[in-house]
């Protein structure tokens, strides 16, 4: 039996930005893969490089930024090096991205039906009736009531949550092999967020679509993802199954993130926290970027740790945590 080809395979991806102050290594030696129907959570605090990883995969990095190294394979075919025209043909049909701000997706002066039907016409030779039916079905799938009426509306006639659901519907239109979600439910209320998460899980299970969910919210990842990769200062520091990473974290940064969650702290006591601040990507410490904030750091951490197999996962650390995360 032949092995299943990953929907997405990223290897040693590097994205840099040239600034007056120097080179910013926004994404530095990032590698992971996502299988058909699998949901991967890409977790990290602001500035960790998780969104830039998504943009790099989509080919949305412009000057002064540049993808300077690595490989991005979509269903076994290399995306890096494709012409702008070839990449446009891939986006929307085989790979789609949902942004945190829906107005990055929607044109404020065009009706919803016009925008959704254009997304269909860009990749399929179908008539207007078929395109409209596809648009209506996509709106219904994300829980928008009266989809026929909503198709005739403009973006300003929708609430923020409704606009985000329209953006998600557009991403689902062409049933892509991979969807990258950049915190798309942050602006939604908890009820709608739960509905969207359920629909995305259902889509992946039924259609085999792979999903990368970029977020800083560990609670969302815990209920959604099959695998989790944790980023810090442009690098993946730990990756494994959701159960491994969230229940038995081995990297000190992951352990600190989970230990600082309010639910992990006894009532009435100060919240645990990771000391210090995330270093500037322009002025990273020598060796491990986390060492100045880590209570396990030694002189060995002045060398750069490689991402290696440890305890059934991938880990970038010389001194892994062996005790369990606080209950």
């Amino acid at each position: 039996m032949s092995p299943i080809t990953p929907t997405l395979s990223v290897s040693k991806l590097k994205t840099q930005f040239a600034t007056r102050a120097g080179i910013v290594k926004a994404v530095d030696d990032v590698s992971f893969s996502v299988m058909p129907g699998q949901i991967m959570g890409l977790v990290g605090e602001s500035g960790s490089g998780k969104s830039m990883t998504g943009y790099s995969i989509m080919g949305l990095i412009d000057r002064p930024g540049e993808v300077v190294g690595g490989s991005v394979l979509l269903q076994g075919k290399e995306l890096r090096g494709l012409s702008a025209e070839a990449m446009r043909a891939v986006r929307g049909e085989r790979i789609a991205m949902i942004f945190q701000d829906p107005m990055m997706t929607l044109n404020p002066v065009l009706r919803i039906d016009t925008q959704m039907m254009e997304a269909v016409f860009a990749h399929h030779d179908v008539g207007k009736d078929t395109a409209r039916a596809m648009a209506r079905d996509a709106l219904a799938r994300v829980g928008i009531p009266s989809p026929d009426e909503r198709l005739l509306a403009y973006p300003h006639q929708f609430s923020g949550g409704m606009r985000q659901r329209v953006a998600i519907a557009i991403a689902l239109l062409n049933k892509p092999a991979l969807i990258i979600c950049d915190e798309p439910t942050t602006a939604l209320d908890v009820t709608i967020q739960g509905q969207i998460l359920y629909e995305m899980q259902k889509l992946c299970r039924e259609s085999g679509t792979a999903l990368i969910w970029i977020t800083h919210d560990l609670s969302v990842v815990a209920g959604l993802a099959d695998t989790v990769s944790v980023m810090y200062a442009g690098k993946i520091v730990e990756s494994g199954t959701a159960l491994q990473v969230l229940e038995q974290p081995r990297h000190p940064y992951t352990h600190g993130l989970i230990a600082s969650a309010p639910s992990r702290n006894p009532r009435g006591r100060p919240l645990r926290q990771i000391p210090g601040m995330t270093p500037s990507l322009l002025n990273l410490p020598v060796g491990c970027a986390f060492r100045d904030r880590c209570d396990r750091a030694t002189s060995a951490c002045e060398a750069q740790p490689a991402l290696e197999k440890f305890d059934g996962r991938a880990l970038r650390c010389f001194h892994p945590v062996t005790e369990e995360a606080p209950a």
Side-chain angles (χ1 to χ4, degrees):
M1 187 175 180
S2 59
I4 300 174
T5 301
T7 297
L8 180 73
S9 182
V10 176
S11 177
K12 299 185 181 301
L13 185 64
K14 294 185 178 183
T15 300
Q16 298 179 354
F17 287 80
T19 71
R20 291 180 180 179
I23 300 296
V24 175
K25 297 180 179 179
V27 180
D28 192 11
D29 193 28
V30 166
S31 300
F32 60 83
S33 61
V34 191
M35 304 302 292
Q38 189 177 63
I39 301 174
M40 187 191 93
L42 189 58
V43 180
E45 57 192 302
S46 296
S48 63
K50 57 190 189 299
S51 292
M52 281 301 154
T53 299
Y55 297 150
S56 300
I57 293 167
M58 292 289 295
L60 295 176
I61 302 294
D62 289 324
R63 297 288 182 182
E66 184 181 6
V67 179
V68 298
S71 171
V72 179
L73 299 178
L74 180 65
Q75 296 178 322
K77 296 182 180 180
E78 181 64 65
L79 296 185
R80 281 205 64 213
L82 288 182
S83 66
E85 184 179 356
M87 196 64 202
R88 277 196 299 269
V90 171
R91 286 192 216 106
E93 181 179 26
R94 295 175 57 204
I95 179 172
M97 189 164 186
I98 304 169
F99 300 93
Q100 184 172 355
D101 180 3
M103 294 312 287
M104 290 183 69
T105 303
L106 301 176
N107 187 325
V109 300
L110 294 179
R111 285 189 339 197
I112 297 301
D113 61 348
T114 301
Q115 299 186 57
M116 296 189 73
M117 290 166 69
E118 280 182 356
V120 175
F121 293 144
H123 301 285
H124 300 282
D125 184 16
V126 297
K128 285 187 177 181
D129 290 343
T130 300
R132 180 176 292 277
M134 291 173 66
R136 182 180 60 245
D137 291 345
L139 288 183
R141 191 186 303 176
V142 296
I144 292 182
S146 306
D148 286 298
E149 295 177 20
R150 294 294 188 173
L151 282 173
L152 302 178
Y154 289 86
H156 73 269
Q157 295 174 290
F158 289 77
S159 66
M162 280 285 205
R163 284 197 292 264
Q164 187 60 287
R165 283 194 270 177
V166 172
I168 292 170
I170 291 174
L172 301 179
L173 262 178
N174 294 306
K175 300 177 181 175
L178 172 70
I179 299 177
I180 300 173
C181 301
D182 189 7
E183 304 201 53
T185 61
T186 300
L188 305 183
D189 62 67
V190 175
T191 303
I192 300 303
Q193 184 183 66
Q195 180 182 350
I196 295 297
L197 294 177
Y198 171 77
E199 291 294 341
M200 299 304 278
Q201 277 186 314
K202 183 180 177 183
L203 169 78
C204 293
R205 301 292 181 262
E206 293 179 352
S207 68
T209 296
L211 185 68
I212 298 175
W213 195 276
I214 299 171
T215 185
H216 64 274
D217 192 336
L218 292 171
S219 63
V220 170
V221 165
L224 176 72
D226 303 304
T227 63
V228 175
S229 293
V230 181
M231 288 193 73
Y232 184 79
K235 295 181 181 290
I236 288 180
V237 296
E238 182 169 7
S239 62
T241 67
L243 182 64
Q244 286 174 327
V245 174
L246 299 179
E247 295 298 327
Q248 300 173 332
R250 295 297 179 233
H251 195 281
Y253 174 64
T254 313
H255 191 270
L257 277 182
I258 294 170
S260 64
S263 61
R264 300 274 187 172
N265 286 262
R267 183 184 293 272
R269 293 187 186 179
L271 289 175
R272 297 185 187 94
Q273 56 185 311
I274 302 173
M277 298 287 290
T278 306
S280 166
L281 295 178
L282 278 168
N283 189 29
L284 291 172
V286 176
C288 175
F290 188 64
R291 70 183 180 88
D292 290 344
R293 306 175 69 187
C294 181
D295 60 6
R296 307 174 73 87
T298 67
S299 58
C301 302
E302 294 179 11
Q304 180 62 250
L307 191 66
E308 298 178 335
K309 292 292 184 183
F310 177 84
D311 192 26
R313 75 197 71 200
L315 190 68
R316 192 186 296 274
C317 187
F318 292 121
H319 306 295
V321 177
T322 53
E323 62 267 24
E324 303 306 316

